[in-house]
């Protein structure tokens, strides 16, 4: 009898035995193996080294023609099917569109987003036949979903759908900014007063300290140039940089409240 070297022959042998009447009952695994046949050879074979290889003879010092290899190398121990049980990386078209959009429009990431949802299914309420949605604010995700809808429903190429969605997004952004400017002007006309925003206040406070340190830096530069030329000056004229810089900073900082106020604060 020929030695069976493939596991798939198990099904063939059982099928032949059933037709010949050697098996009275059908094995429970027969249909499963027929539907999902094994495609690997599970028979282990002895690994024999290359015969007559002069390099092996030079390295080992003995002739290995009649020797069998009893241990596998590190590379041979690695399973050829090591990637079978690894979870595949999921790749979606939406991720590529988001990456491209936010790379072209990085300041869109600075806009605040509403992450609160009542049921977690607010996206199902959106109809992407148009860009502007009632249940979702306008952002980069609107461009992504609108692009996918045009790509699937309008039979456009991906580049055409992305450009169309992007220009629709620009128009809606410009209309939003125009509405906010008009509303601000109307409110000012009726007597509304708009104070400084938090960002403006932070920038003004930061600029004060930048101006102070600019003056300190100029004074320290003068001191450095003076100390470089101290060889020509009389003895005992070396200036202490640290104490003078601190005194200059304290002097400018203490005199800051007496400075005229910003006309915008009035």
């Amino acid at each position: 009898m020929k030695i069976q070297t493939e596991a798939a022959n198990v099904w063939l042998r059982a099928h032949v035995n059933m037709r010949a009447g050697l098996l009275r009952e059908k094995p429970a695994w027969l249909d499963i193996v027929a539907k999902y046949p094994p495609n690997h050879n599970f028979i282990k074979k002895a690994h024999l080294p290359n015969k007559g290889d002069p390099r092996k003879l030079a390295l080992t010092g003995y002739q290995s023609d009649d020797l069998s290899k009893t241990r596998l190398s590190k590379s041979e121990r690695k399973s050829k099917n090591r990637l079978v049980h690894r979870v595949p990386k999921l790749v979606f078209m939406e991720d590529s569109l988001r990456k491209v959009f936010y790379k072209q429009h990085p300041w869109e990431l600075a806009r605040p987003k509403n992450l609160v949802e009542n049921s977690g299914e607010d996206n199902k309420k959106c109809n992407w036949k148009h860009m502007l949605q009632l249940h979702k604010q306008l952002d980069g995700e609107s461009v992504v979903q609108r692009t996918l809808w045009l790509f699937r429903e309008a039979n456009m190429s991906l580049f055409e759908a992305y450009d169309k969605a992007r220009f629709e997004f620009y128009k809606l952004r410009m209309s939003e900014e125009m509405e906010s400017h008009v509303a601000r002007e109307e409110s000012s006309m009726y007597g509304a007063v708009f104070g400084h925003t938090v960002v403006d206040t932070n920038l003004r406070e930061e600029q004060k300290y930048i101006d102070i340190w600019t003056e300190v830096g100029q004074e320290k530069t003068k001191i450095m140039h003076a100390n470089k030329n101290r060889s020509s000056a009389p003895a005992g004229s070396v200036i202490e940089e640290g104490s003078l810089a601190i005194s200059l900073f304290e002097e400018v900082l203490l005199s800051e409240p007496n400075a005229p106020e910003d006309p915008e604060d009035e």
Side-chain angles (χ1 to χ4, degrees), residues 36-131:
Y36 304 102
N39 54 359
H40 298 288
N41 187 357
F42 296 100
I43 302 299
K44 296 183 179 180
K45 297 180 181 180
H47 293 267
L48 299 176
N50 297 329
K51 295 183 178 181
D53 193 345
R55 293 173 296 180
K56 286 185 175 294
L57 180 61
L59 292 175
T60 57
Y62 59 87
Q63 185 69 28
S64 58
D65 291 347
D66 300 328
L67 298 178
S68 298
K69 189 174 182 180
T70 58
R71 294 185 181 180
L72 300 178
S73 63
K74 184 177 180 180
S75 60
E76 291 172 342
R77 285 197 302 269
K78 290 183 178 179
S79 175
K80 296 182 180 179
N81 303 314
R82 61 185 181 277
L83 302 179
V84 172
H85 302 291
R86 182 178 296 178
V87 178
K89 184 177 180 180
L90 301 180
V91 180
F92 298 97
M93 189 184 301
E94 294 92 326
D95 296 333
S96 301
L97 292 173
R98 292 187 190 101
K99 183 178 180 180
V100 171
F101 178 81
Y102 286 114
K103 185 176 182 180
Q104 296 175 347
H105 310 82
W107 284 105
E108 284 296 323
L109 294 173
R111 292 181 178 270
K113 299 182 182 298
N114 183 17
L115 302 178
V116 179
E117 294 185 0
N118 295 327
S119 62
E121 298 180 354
D122 292 351
N123 192 31
K124 294 182 179 180
K125 302 177 183 179
C126 299
N127 183 10
W128 295 109
K129 289 183 179 180
H130 43 81
M131 175 76 70

Side-chain angles (χ1 to χ4, degrees), residues 13 33 59-60 62 71 75 79 112 126 128 130 141 148 159 164-165 191 194 228 243 253 266:
R13 178 61 59 185
V33 174
L59 292 175
T60 57
Y62 59 87
R71 294 185 181 180
S75 60
S79 175
C126 299
W128 295 109
H130 43 81
E141 188 65 23
L148 292 176
F159 296 101
K164 182 176 176 57
F194 299 95
K228 287 181 180 179
S243 60
L253 188 61
E266 298 180 357

Side-chain angles (χ1 to χ4, degrees), residues 30-262:
L30 190 65
D31 295 335
I32 302 300
V33 174
K35 188 175 182 180
Y36 304 102
N39 54 359
H40 298 288
N41 187 357
F42 296 100
I43 302 299
K44 296 183 179 180
K45 297 180 181 180
H47 293 267
L48 299 176
N50 297 329
K51 295 183 178 181
D53 193 345
R55 293 173 296 180
K56 286 185 175 294
L57 180 61
L59 292 175
T60 57
Y62 59 87
Q63 185 69 28
S64 58
D65 291 347
D66 300 328
L67 298 178
S68 298
K69 189 174 182 180
T70 58
R71 294 185 181 180
L72 300 178
S73 63
K74 184 177 180 180
S75 60
E76 291 172 342
R77 285 197 302 269
K78 290 183 178 179
S79 175
K80 296 182 180 179
N81 303 314
R82 61 185 181 277
L83 302 179
V84 172
H85 302 291
R86 182 178 296 178
V87 178
K89 184 177 180 180
L90 301 180
V91 180
F92 298 97
M93 189 184 301
E94 294 92 326
D95 296 333
S96 301
L97 292 173
R98 292 187 190 101
K99 183 178 180 180
V100 171
F101 178 81
Y102 286 114
K103 185 176 182 180
Q104 296 175 347
H105 310 82
W107 284 105
E108 284 296 323
L109 294 173
R111 292 181 178 270
K113 299 182 182 298
N114 183 17
L115 302 178
V116 179
E117 294 185 0
N118 295 327
S119 62
E121 298 180 354
D122 292 351
N123 192 31
K124 294 182 179 180
K125 302 177 183 179
C126 299
N127 183 10
W128 295 109
K129 289 183 179 180
H130 43 81
M131 175 76 70
L132 197 60
Q133 300 294 325
L134 180 62
H135 303 281
K136 187 182 183 307
Q137 61 181 355
L138 184 66
D139 55 5
E141 188 65 23
S142 302
V143 178
V144 173
Q145 298 299 329
R146 175 66 174 162
T147 302
L148 292 176
W149 189 90
L150 292 172
F151 176 71
R152 294 167 181 169
E153 303 295 335
N155 295 326
M156 291 185 177
S157 65
L158 187 60
F159 296 101
E160 294 175 351
Y162 176 70
D163 284 339
K164 182 176 176 57
R166 187 162 51 91
F167 286 113
E168 290 178 0
F169 174 78
Y170 294 159
K171 291 180 180 179
L172 291 174
R173 271 279 182 258
M174 288 187 289
S175 64
E176 282 185 355
E177 294 180 359
M178 185 61 66
E179 289 176 0
S180 63
H181 287 307
V182 171
R184 186 184 181 91
E185 292 178 359
E186 290 178 351
S187 301
S188 300
M189 183 179 64
Y190 286 104
V193 178
F194 299 95
H196 294 288
T197 62
V198 177
V199 176
D200 295 335
T201 303
N202 292 337
L203 290 176
R204 287 192 295 124
E205 293 297 326
E206 184 181 7
Q207 189 61 39
K208 290 180 182 179
Y209 287 91
I210 291 175
D211 296 338
I212 293 172
W213 280 108
T214 301
E215 297 180 7
V216 174
Q218 292 175 354
E219 294 296 332
K220 290 186 68 175
T221 303
K222 294 178 183 179
I223 293 171
M224 291 175 60
H225 287 300
N227 289 336
K228 287 181 180 179
N229 301 326
R230 66 179 180 273
S231 58
S232 60
S237 61
V238 179
I239 303 175
E240 295 182 0
E241 299 182 13
S243 60
L244 183 57
I246 294 174
S247 62
L248 286 172
F249 178 75
E250 292 177 350
E251 181 181 354
V252 177
L253 188 61
L254 292 174
S255 63
E256 184 65 24
N258 298 327
E261 296 182 354
D262 193 349

